[in-house]
Amino acid sequence: MPDLPSLSPRLRATAEPPIPAARAWAARYAGGAGPMIDLTQAVPGYPPHPDLLAKLAEAAGSRAAAGYGPIDGDPSLREALAADVSAVYAAPVAAAEVAVTAGCNLAFSMAMAVIAGGGTGGVILPVPWYFNHRMALEMQGIPAVPLPCRAEDGFLPDPARIEPLLAAGARALVLVTPNNPTGAVTPPGTIEACAALCRRHGAWLVLDETYRDFLPAEATPPHALFRDPAWRDGLVHLYSFSKAYCVPGHRVGAIIAGPAFRAELMKALDTWQICAARPAQAALAWGVPALADWRAGNRDLMAGRAAGFRAAVGQLPGWRLDSLGAYFAYLRVPEDGPDAMVMAERLAAERGLLCLPGPFFGPGQDRHIRLAFANAGLEAIAEVPVRLEGTLP
């Protein structure tokens, strides 16, 4: 019998996707603790606005949206997002600096190909990291350079620990704020210090603000980077429409960058996606300005769920809520309990509570689990402490 054709060593070496692995544990759950509570995936726990759904249906049925569109996105959506970003950050961002992508994960993968494709230098990922970012680097043969972040520091990156990694040749630093998996929000001053370090060492700052629509209402602009004209020479900004507009299945994200980066990005856009889905672009071009108040209401809804989670878990002896924000809670397993992998499997298989263990988010996370509370109502959140009880010796 002839040998099977070989497969990519990089893909074979890449870990299995975490969420299906966690849900496989739940297949053994017999239902004794009550209905399953799935807090594995960051999905909005409420439907899209009905008018947005109507716009999506209308656009999906249109002949115009069935054809190819511009490689970097339909002008109407690029203009809408540029205006929204300009308002949020109190700084001018032009539609010509926006590229629409088929989701933010693809945006990240294409950005990494532009910056570090071929493995010519490492990319700094703060730990705990978003596992798909790590997987995307591994698939492309780009070294991931871990930057450990500590609970006692709020899981925030320390610029003093970043500089040696940049000096050693890292090509980029990735910051996710609000963070996945911890929910931690990186302060403006820290973001700006990181940008200055990257500029000093000729590296890129890749800033993923997928969850910025869930920052507190009273927050000042998340950072002042867009106010400095030099941002175009060193910043790549990533955004996702999935969370703010409840359309993750439509796969629409965006990259904001300067002309030098965009010139190379256009090659990746044309090759990997040709264009993002056009019906969703048409609907979102309407939704970005029209649904501002609705988005603000959802931000407040998520803040209420975060407060409810904090209150619920605060009742439990031994468990420690090390970080909370946006969609996520990062919970430390009691010292007399098993490690996070064992705990997460036990919770899924025996207690019907699905969460992700810390090791899925990088090294040194053996005592933490991540719970994505955004897709759960307050009644389900109140049930979380009941499910956690009884898991310890």
Side-chain angles (χ1 to χ4, degrees), residues 15 42 57 82 84 101 108 154 170 177 225 227 259 297-298 304 323 325 332 358 379:
D84 184 65
T101 64
F108 179 83
T177 178
L225 297 186
R227 298 180 192 175
N298 292 333
S323 190
R332 185 173 180 86
E379 184 176 341

Side-chain angles (χ1 to χ4, degrees), residues 185-234:
V185 177
T186 306
T190 303
I191 295 174
E192 291 151 21
C194 289
L197 282 175
C198 288
R199 189 178 301 117
R200 185 182 310 154
H201 290 277
W204 291 89
L205 174 62
V206 179
L207 190 58
D208 184 334
E209 293 191 271
T210 290
Y211 299 95
R212 60 101 165 157
D213 294 279
F214 302 96
L215 289 168
E218 65 277 8
T220 57
H223 53 78
L225 297 186
F226 289 124
R227 298 180 192 175
D228 180 357
W231 75 262
R232 295 169 178 85
D233 300 323

Side-chain angles (χ1 to χ4, degrees), residues 293-318:
D293 290 343
W294 179 78
R295 286 157 55 198
N298 292 333
R299 176 199 62 214
D300 295 341
L301 175 66
M302 286 298 103
R305 290 183 180 181
F309 193 95
R310 183 182 296 278
V313 174
Q315 307 167 14
L316 284 174

Side-chain angles (χ1 to χ4, degrees), residues 120-122 124 145 162-171 201:
T120 53
I124 302 169
V145 181
I162 293 170
E163 184 152 28
L165 303 179
L166 292 170
R171 295 180 66 87
H201 290 277

Side-chain angles (χ1 to χ4, degrees), residues 50-113:
D51 291 345
L52 182 62
L53 288 174
K55 293 284 185 181
L56 285 164
E58 178 185 358
S62 74
R63 182 174 178 177
Y68 287 128
I71 293 168
D72 55 354
D74 287 0
S76 57
L77 180 55
R78 292 167 59 205
E79 290 166 3
L81 182 60
D84 184 65
V85 169
S86 298
V88 169
Y89 296 90
V93 171
E97 293 159 339
V98 176
V100 180
T101 64
C104 198
N105 271 10
L106 183 57
F108 179 83
S109 293
M110 290 189 291
M112 292 301 101

